[in-house]
Amino acid sequence: MISTSQETHDRIAHIVLQGFDRYRSKFRKITSGARARFENADWYAAQKAAADRINLYDLAVSDVVDLIQCSVSSSILKPDNWPMVKQCYIQQIMGRTDYELAETFFNSIYCRLFKHQVMEHEGMFIHTSLPGVKSKTGIPITNIYALGGEGLVGLLDEILDDHIFTLPWENKRRDIRNIIKHLELTLPRAVWRSNQVKVEVLNSVFYRNKASYLVGRIESEGMIIPFVLAIMNNEKGRVYIDTLLMDRDDVSILFSFTRSYFLVDVPVPAEYVRFLQALMPSKSEAELYSSIGFFKHGKTEFYREFLRHLDTSADEFVSAPGIKGMVMAVFTLPSYPVVFKIIKDYFAPPKEVSRVTVMEKYELVKRHDRVGRMADTQEFSNFVFPRHRFADSLLQELQEVAASNLIIDEHTVTIRHLYTERRMTPLNLYLQSCTEKQCLDVLDEYGNALKQLAAANIFAGDMLLKNFGVTRHGRVVFYDYDEISYLTEVNFRAIPEAAYPEQEMSGEPWYSVGPNDVFPEEFPRFLFADVRIRKLFNDMHGNLFTPEYWQGLQAAIREGRVMSVYPYRRKKRFPRNELAASEQLE
């Protein structure tokens, strides 16, 4: 055992930092393998690596906590000693390019050791130890390209050569022509033909699912424009440019909270986040840290942003709009774009899930490919709110349905366990007030959401409109996870014909129904009370009402196929037919 002293505090801090370094090494090793997986078109391995990298964090925290508990006397492992450990740790992480991640890792160790019971800044980094400090390491994170004698063709050729893969290009000349044609159609000529045009591209390639991305920006004529090239593997040993994204909304959707985290090597995380935020000013630091794989630090930044917002706002927490759920109590702060979700103490019939099952479902979503159709969540323990910011009606409601989760005193409301999630407009409410065009668009989106979830081996289970939300970009996203399952676990059946008419008129089914049986023919009646809406949806996505559609996807998944789901509209994809590309240039 180690004795109590400055040396002890240093030693504990060193154990934590060594554990963090081991975690970062394993994290970067998985990340660095993304290129080989992309080039080999090993999509199953890519999915597994993304999940394995998420799992690393909790494993690393457990290892460090076990080591500290084995190495240090229990009399020392008290919150009162932790301010000294923290000061030693600060000295050890000074000068690091990832100090903010190291702070978050320290917080995780603290919370695991003391079971989230004592949450005080003195012993942990509720606020950063280096406020206002931005990493400026001098390490170059971008390459800068300017027009030369060969014009745009030469500039683009240089960009592609600098990020070359071991695979050859399917048709590099065609891809460059597609890019130039897109620039012609999208930007004023004075911008993309200016002698002062400059393209700055991040050194690291962003990998996710079946694509890789070069991310940067165009600077010309006083304008700064996002520049993201999507690169695909044709699964025949060559790569090609699938599209160029320059619209901020398109880039924001690419980095959405509804998608899996990128695998990208970022030696200086803060500088990468700062660069990305310049491209997407509407994105918070919390969102961007999460999007590049540092979801735990994203959680830290979210909490800090939330505290700052509380200090500059005065509105009250209220029940979230929409039909109240049977499993979760949901509330929000109108001035803040987030909902807080608490598992209820009791689920009324017909719900048969348990609290543990609900938590497992949310964990599944965290680790699974969300394909742009499931909202990411952050899980918190002992989240403290100011008591005076709660509407009395909300507090009464929470006490009625989730009393075991609450600790209330004169000044605070502490919730033992909750999830945070981006607030969206519930789809059923959206349909009540939208225009006819918006109705058609959002119904198409709803159908696409169901199909893309299914392509990712996810069956929503409870597909009611109230369980889907509409984002500010008009995308439809699923957010109620207590009944989700893998698509391959579901038995999709056709309703057998009745033996005689009286059976059909009966209120009870005349056929046996197993626990995993689903009858798609029943979807229209359950999903759409409005017959007009039902018909519109059927015209767009009527195949969802047939068991054959779902069975076909199941067969493809069981064969090991990983289906393509694009983070942009299909119409934005470049033509790959040589003739079509040439014709478009004329």
Side-chain angles (χ1 to χ4, degrees):
M1 295 292 180
I2 304 171
S3 60
T4 305
S5 63
Q6 176 70 31
E7 180 183 353
T8 305
H9 302 140
D10 272 331
R11 171 64 175 152
I12 295 172
H14 186 62
I15 290 173
V16 175
L17 189 55
Q18 280 187 318
F20 174 68
D21 282 334
R22 287 192 296 272
Y23 162 70
R24 286 286 282 137
S25 176
K26 293 176 181 177
F27 182 99
R28 296 187 77 167
K29 182 177 180 179
I30 291 177
T31 301
S32 65
R35 173 172 169 163
R37 291 186 288 271
F38 171 76
E39 292 180 342
N40 294 329
D42 193 346
W43 312 131
Y44 175 77
Q47 289 181 338
K48 184 177 184 303
D52 288 346
R53 197 179 67 167
I54 291 172
N55 294 336
L56 278 181
Y57 195 89
D58 280 344
L59 293 173
V61 170
S62 295
D63 287 347
V64 170
V65 167
D66 289 346
L67 183 57
I68 290 175
Q69 289 176 330
C70 290
S71 305
V72 179
S73 168
S74 58
S75 63
I76 298 172
L77 292 182
K78 295 179 179 178
D80 289 349
N81 289 319
W82 226 246
M84 287 79 79
V85 176
K86 176 184 171 182
Q87 291 306 311
C88 294
Y89 191 75
I90 289 172
Q91 294 303 312
Q92 294 182 27
I93 65 173
M94 291 290 286
R96 291 184 65 109
T97 62
D98 58 358
Y99 74 90
E100 75 275 31
L101 308 185
E103 289 180 346
T104 287
F105 191 79
F106 184 92
N107 287 350
S108 298
I109 303 303
Y110 178 94
C111 290
R112 185 73 63 86
L113 278 170
F114 305 121
K115 305 185 186 307
H116 298 87
Q117 297 300 315
V118 184
M119 310 287 281
E120 297 177 349
H121 181 62
E122 288 74 18
M124 59 185 297
F125 298 95
I126 290 179
H127 306 288
T128 181
S129 61
L130 298 170
V133 175
K134 300 292 184 182
S135 298
K136 285 290 184 183
T137 62
I139 299 173
I141 67 169
T142 64
N143 286 331
I144 299 176
Y145 306 87
L147 281 179
E150 297 183 10
L152 273 175
V153 172
L155 184 153
L156 293 168
D157 193 61
E158 186 181 0
I159 291 174
L160 298 186
D161 281 350
D162 281 353
H163 296 88
I164 197 166
F165 298 93
T166 59
L167 300 180
W169 292 97
E170 182 181 78
N171 188 332
K172 192 200 265 188
R173 288 184 61 198
R174 175 204 65 203
D175 291 345
I176 289 176
R177 286 201 305 271
N178 280 335
I179 293 170
I180 293 175
K181 180 63 175 178
H182 187 73
L183 290 169
E184 289 177 339
L185 293 173
T186 307
L187 298 179
R189 183 180 179 84
V191 173
W192 64 273
R193 285 295 189 184
S194 168
N195 290 330
Q196 303 302 314
V197 69
K198 179 177 72 174
V199 181
E200 188 174 9
V201 181
L202 287 167
N203 291 333
S204 300
V205 180
F206 289 64
Y207 295 92
R208 185 174 63 202
N209 298 334
K210 300 172 77 170
S212 60
Y213 302 89
L214 302 185
V215 178
R217 60 193 177 198
I218 301 170
E219 296 185 28
S220 180
E221 300 294 306
M223 300 174 63
I224 297 179
I225 303 154
F227 177 89
V228 180
L229 286 173
I231 305 171
M232 306 290 288
N233 184 325
N234 70 4
E235 303 186 22
K236 297 178 181 178
R238 294 178 181 271
V239 295
Y240 62 92
I241 304 295
D242 196 52
T243 195
L244 167 62
L245 302 177
M246 295 190 298
D247 183 85
R248 290 191 187 278
D249 283 346
D250 288 339
V251 178
S252 180
I253 289 170
L254 180 68
F255 282 82
S256 170
F257 63 93
T258 64
R259 299 191 182 277
S260 302
Y261 310 132
F262 284 104
L263 278 78
V264 53
D265 186 37
V266 287
V268 192
E271 289 190 20
Y272 274 76
V273 166
R274 195 153 54 245
F275 185 95
L276 292 171
Q277 199 164 37
L279 302 184
M280 299 167 280
S282 63
K283 292 283 185 189
S284 67
E285 288 190 11
E287 289 179 277
L288 291 172
Y289 270 107
S290 292
S291 73
I292 59 176
F294 305 119
F295 65 97
K296 285 293 185 180
H297 188 66
K299 176 178 172 179
T300 299
E301 289 295 340
F302 163 80
Y303 188 65
R304 291 170 178 168
E305 291 166 4
F306 178 66
L307 292 179
R308 289 194 292 270
H309 182 80
L310 285 180
D311 287 342
T312 57
S313 61
D315 51 334
E316 290 186 327
F317 293 99
V318 296
S319 292
I323 299 172
K324 295 188 185 302
M326 301 176 70
V327 171
M328 291 283 195
V330 186
F331 65 95
T332 189
L333 190 66
S335 63
Y336 201 64
V338 167
V339 294
F340 302 85
K341 306 174 73 169
I342 311 173
I343 301 175
K344 293 182 177 181
D345 291 338
Y346 170 74
F347 311 146
K351 290 289 184 182
E352 296 179 352
V353 296
S354 67
R355 178 185 182 85
V356 171
T357 301
V358 173
M359 294 174 67
E360 288 173 348
K361 301 289 188 182
Y362 274 74
E363 197 66 22
L364 183 157
V365 172
K366 171 68 72 175
R367 284 161 172 72
H368 198 80
D369 179 9
R370 294 188 291 279
V371 293
R373 298 300 183 178
M374 291 190 289
D376 193 15
T377 60
Q378 292 286 8
E379 185 178 11
F380 288 88
S381 297
N382 291 333
F383 199 111
V384 180
F385 297 87
R387 166 68 180 82
H388 73 279
R389 298 291 290 272
F390 275 74
D392 291 339
S393 57
L394 171 62
L395 204 52
Q396 180 179 345
E397 176 190 337
L398 295 180
Q399 287 174 308
E400 289 174 356
V401 301
S404 69
N405 225 334
L406 305 178
I407 303 173
I408 303 173
D409 62 29
E410 183 180 355
H411 302 291
T412 63
V413 175
T414 301
I415 299 180
R416 299 179 190 273
H417 180 265
L418 63 74
Y419 297 96
T420 62
E421 193 175 272
R422 173 63 69 88
R423 187 174 66 223
M424 293 170 274
T425 304
L427 178 54
N428 60 312
L429 297 185
Y430 183 90
L431 283 168
Q432 292 174 11
S433 58
C434 64
T435 66
E436 185 66 17
K437 183 182 183 307
Q438 288 173 329
C439 174
L440 293 173
D441 289 344
V442 84
L443 286 176
D444 191 32
E445 269 288 295
Y446 174 54
N448 289 334
L450 295 176
K451 289 177 176 178
Q452 290 173 2
L453 287 170
N457 197 21
I458 289 291
F459 180 63
D462 192 344
M463 296 160 53
L464 294 176
L465 304 184
K466 70 182 182 68
N467 296 324
F468 290 76
V470 183
T471 72
R472 65 186 179 89
H473 296 112
R475 292 181 59 80
V476 171
V477 174
F478 185 49
Y479 54 59
D480 193 328
Y481 306 140
D482 57 89
E483 290 192 21
I484 68 168
S485 63
Y486 292 113
L487 188 78
T488 47
E489 294 175 348
V490 181
N491 183 29
F492 292 98
R493 293 176 54 192
I495 297 175
E497 289 190 20
Y500 41 86
E502 287 77 11
Q503 283 186 328
E504 283 191 289
M505 301 301 292
S506 171
E508 298 297 324
W510 60 89
Y511 45 88
S512 62
V513 180
N516 293 327
D517 285 351
V518 170
F519 300 89
E521 295 161 83
E522 297 179 335
F523 291 169
R525 181 166 55 88
F526 286 118
L527 298 180
F528 304 105
D530 186 322
V531 177
R532 185 184 72 90
I533 297 291
R534 185 187 306 172
K535 183 180 184 306
L536 289 173
F537 186 81
N538 184 67
D539 291 342
M540 298 175 185
H541 297 286
N543 52 355
L544 287 169
F545 303 151
T546 67
E548 290 79 12
Y549 176 82
W550 301 92
Q551 291 164 359
L553 284 175
Q554 288 178 317
I557 292 167
R558 289 176 178 133
E559 289 169 5
R561 289 173 53 193
V562 177
M563 282 160 274
S564 299
V565 178
Y566 299 94
Y568 39 83
R569 301 286 188 186
R570 287 183 179 270
K571 66 182 180 182
K572 292 183 178 291
R573 301 183 65 200
F574 288 159
R576 289 168 63 199
N577 177 275
E578 185 65 28
L579 179 61
S582 299
E583 288 175 343
Q584 286 199 15
L585 286 173
E586 294 178 357

